[in-house]
């Protein structure tokens, strides 16, 4: 009799574990799926067998990778069938999707390999995977938005929607299973040296046909340390100059970029491109396989890279950028990147950055609507100027702007200014925009308009939009409510907007919006959005030699 009972119990268990209708009743599945944005969908895609968050997470990532490869094939099929006959806007949107799909495949493959190896990750390694999975979802959303105005939407939008939900399951399981609890209240850290001071040395034998500044840079970096802020200061493997009169290595920036090595690991240092003063009318593209590139100009308004692509002239927002950055570990210094399409042409991007671990120091970004597209991954901006009108800092990266000057301009008639439009679509994404220790004041054209244009700190582009403004000077021109709605009550309870210890006549929070998602926070909460805690940035920013404050400003 005991053997018969054991057989019946085993038979019952096997029946339950193989029954699709009862699979969702396993306690383990219910426990892990409560973290997902759509728990019922999560339960429907996990295997019909008991497991833990690690086994389910690995399964979800493998399935996500399969779907990513499938979607890439679908995009290529669409391009093959429609590429020669479809409208320009459709082809552009599909090309954008193909590029984004290739990135997504890379991100998910890397993430899957990482979690297959261990259940325990360091903070920085966990942040890598968390960032890659967040970016995969962002890529899907960007693709979908590009297709919305094209004839391809009906063919692919359903697949994009389902893929995004699956990637959301993978992100949720990873963020709850592998991401360690962050250590808060780390001490602020800042290199003592400053970047610019090292460009003044003169010694040794120099190459011919170099300007004085190129010689100074060459002396400083050729085979030696560029910055001496710390023991592992920046190394430079090679240096080339871009001079329009033909006396340097190249006359265009893109030629210099093409000369940079492919897929370098950075062990020999940065490939430094020195771009001398001049107006460079070209669309610069740093592709994903160009890693550890440093680009140094002659200063803001001296080295100027300019273009005029816009949505109004038929470009997608994604491809309207004058400067496109996809390669990781990029450093940009002392230059202006500009889009001159103007306020009447709609979205017209100056810089689009999807380069992980990208750093811009002492640069200026100038346009009107959608100036700075912080698309995805991890980014840091220090002592930069940003000029724009509608949503002029937007995207879904994990980004900190520190000690920057933000200048709202005079927009098209009938428009308001929003400094930010952050695009987080999933509550488990580690993305958001931090404005830290900056200055927000009107550009000259807006200042002379007697402030008839309403200006806000931001509005929620997506459901979980997240922006924090802290220890920043805000001039009197800001609308007292501080923040603007996107449409009706969309995202007002799911967004996270916060202010901490700002100064200036526009910083008074007594008349701010009363949305459920808006907060005036304390120092403890604000520390979550610093370079150290939000970007896990002390290592990767520290190695660039660019100055930063890791914690709150004392």
């Amino acid at each position: 009799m005991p053997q018969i009972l054991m057989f019946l119990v085993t038979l019952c268990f096997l029946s339950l574990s193989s029954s699709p209708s009862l699979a969702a009743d396993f306690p383990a599945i219910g426990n892990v799926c409560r973290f997902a944005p759509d728990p019922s969908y999560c339960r429907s895609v996990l295997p019909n067998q008991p497991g833990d968050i690690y086994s389910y997470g690995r399964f979800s990532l493998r399935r996500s990778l399969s779907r990513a490869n499938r979607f890439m094939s679908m995009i290529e099929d669409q391009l093959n069938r429609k590429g020669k006959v479809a409208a320009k806007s459709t082809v552009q949107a599909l090309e954008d999707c193909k590029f984004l799909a290739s990135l997504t495949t890379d991100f998910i493959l890397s993430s899957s390999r990482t979690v297959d190896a261990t259940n325990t990750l360091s903070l920085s390694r966990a942040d890598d995977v968390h960032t890659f999975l967040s970016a995969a979802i962002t890529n899907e959303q960007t693709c979908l938005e590009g297709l919305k105005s094209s004839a391809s939407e009906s063919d692919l939008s359903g697949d994009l929607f389902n893929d995004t939900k699956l990637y959301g399951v993978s992100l949720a399981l990873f963020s709850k299973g592998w991401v360690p609890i962050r250590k808060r209240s780390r001490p602020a850290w800042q290199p003592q040296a400053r970047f610019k001071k090292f460009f003044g040395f003169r010694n040794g034998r120099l190459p011919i046909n170099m300007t004085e500044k190129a010689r100074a840079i060459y002396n400083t970096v050729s085979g030696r340390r560029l910055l001496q802020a710390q023991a592992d200061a920046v190394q430079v493997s090679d240096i080339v100059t871009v001079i329009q009169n033909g006396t340097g290595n190249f006359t265009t920036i893109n030629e210099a970029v093409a000369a940079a090595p492919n897929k370098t690991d950075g062990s020999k240092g940065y490939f430094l491109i020195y771009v001398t003063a001049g107006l460079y009318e070209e669309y610069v593209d740093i592709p994903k396989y160009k890693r550890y590139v440093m680009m140094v100009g002659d200063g803001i308004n001296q080295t100027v890279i300019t273009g005029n692509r816009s949505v109004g002239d038929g470009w997608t927002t994604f491809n309207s950028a004058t400067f496109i950055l996809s390669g990781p570990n990029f450093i940009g210094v002392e230059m202006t990147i500009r889009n001159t399409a103007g306020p009447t042409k709609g979205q017209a991007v100056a810089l689009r950055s999807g380069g992980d671990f990208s750093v811009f120091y002492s640069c200026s970004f100038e346009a009107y609507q959608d100036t700075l597209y912080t698309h995805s991954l991890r980014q840091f901006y220090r002592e930069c100027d940003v000029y724009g009108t509608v949503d002029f800092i937007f995207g879904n990266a994990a980004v900190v702007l520190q000690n920057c000057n933000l200048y709202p301009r005079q927009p098209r008639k009938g428009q308001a200014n929003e400094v930010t439009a952050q695009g987080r679509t999933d509550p488990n994404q580690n993305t958001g925009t931090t404005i830290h220790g900056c200055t927000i004041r009107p550009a000259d054209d807006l200042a002379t308009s007697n402030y008839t244009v309403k200006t806000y700190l931001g509005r929620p582009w997506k459901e979980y939009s997240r922006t924090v403004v802290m220890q920043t000077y805000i001039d009197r021109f800001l609308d007292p409510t501080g923040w603007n709605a996107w449409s009706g009550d969309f995202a007002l309870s799911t967004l996270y907007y916060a202010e901490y210890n700002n100064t200036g006549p526009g910083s008074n929070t007594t008349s701010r919006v009363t949305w459920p998602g808006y907060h005036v926070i304390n120092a403890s909460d604000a520390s979550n959005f610093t370079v150290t805690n939000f970007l896990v940035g002390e290592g990767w920013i520290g190695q660039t030699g660019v100055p930063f404050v890791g914690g709150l400003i004392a």
Side-chain angles (χ1 to χ4, degrees), residues 13-81:
F13 175 80
L14 291 174
S15 176
L16 285 171
S17 63
S18 62
S19 171
S21 63
L22 295 177
D25 291 335
F26 280 121
I29 293 180
N31 285 338
V32 298
C33 282
R34 74 182 190 273
F35 302 122
D38 186 342
S40 62
Y41 176 81
C42 173
R43 291 191 294 269
S44 74
V45 297
L46 292 183
N48 300 329
Q49 60 191 37
D52 58 18
I53 198 164
Y54 302 106
S55 61
Y56 289 138
R58 293 183 178 108
F59 175 88
S60 180
L61 274 169
R62 287 193 294 271
R63 188 163 180 176
S64 293
L65 181 60
S66 176
R67 291 281 284 270
N69 286 322
R70 174 177 174 272
F71 187 71
M72 172 63 87
S73 297
M74 292 176 65
I75 290 292
E76 290 176 339
D77 179 65
Q78 290 275 321
L79 281 168
N80 289 335
R81 289 192 294 110

Side-chain angles (χ1 to χ4, degrees), residues 404 406 408 419 435 438-442 457 469 472-475 477:
C404 294
L406 312 181
V419 176
I435 296 173
C438 296
T439 296
I440 304 175
R441 57 165 47 102
L457 294 173
V469 182
T472 287
Y473 177 87
I474 305 173
D475 211 345
F477 74 116

Side-chain angles (χ1 to χ4, degrees), residues 61 107-108 111 128-137 170-171 174:
L61 274 169
F107 295 156
I108 296 178
S111 300
D128 288 344
V129 178
H130 200 172
T131 298
F132 293 158
L133 295 179
S134 296
I137 293 174
S170 295
L171 174 61
F174 175 81

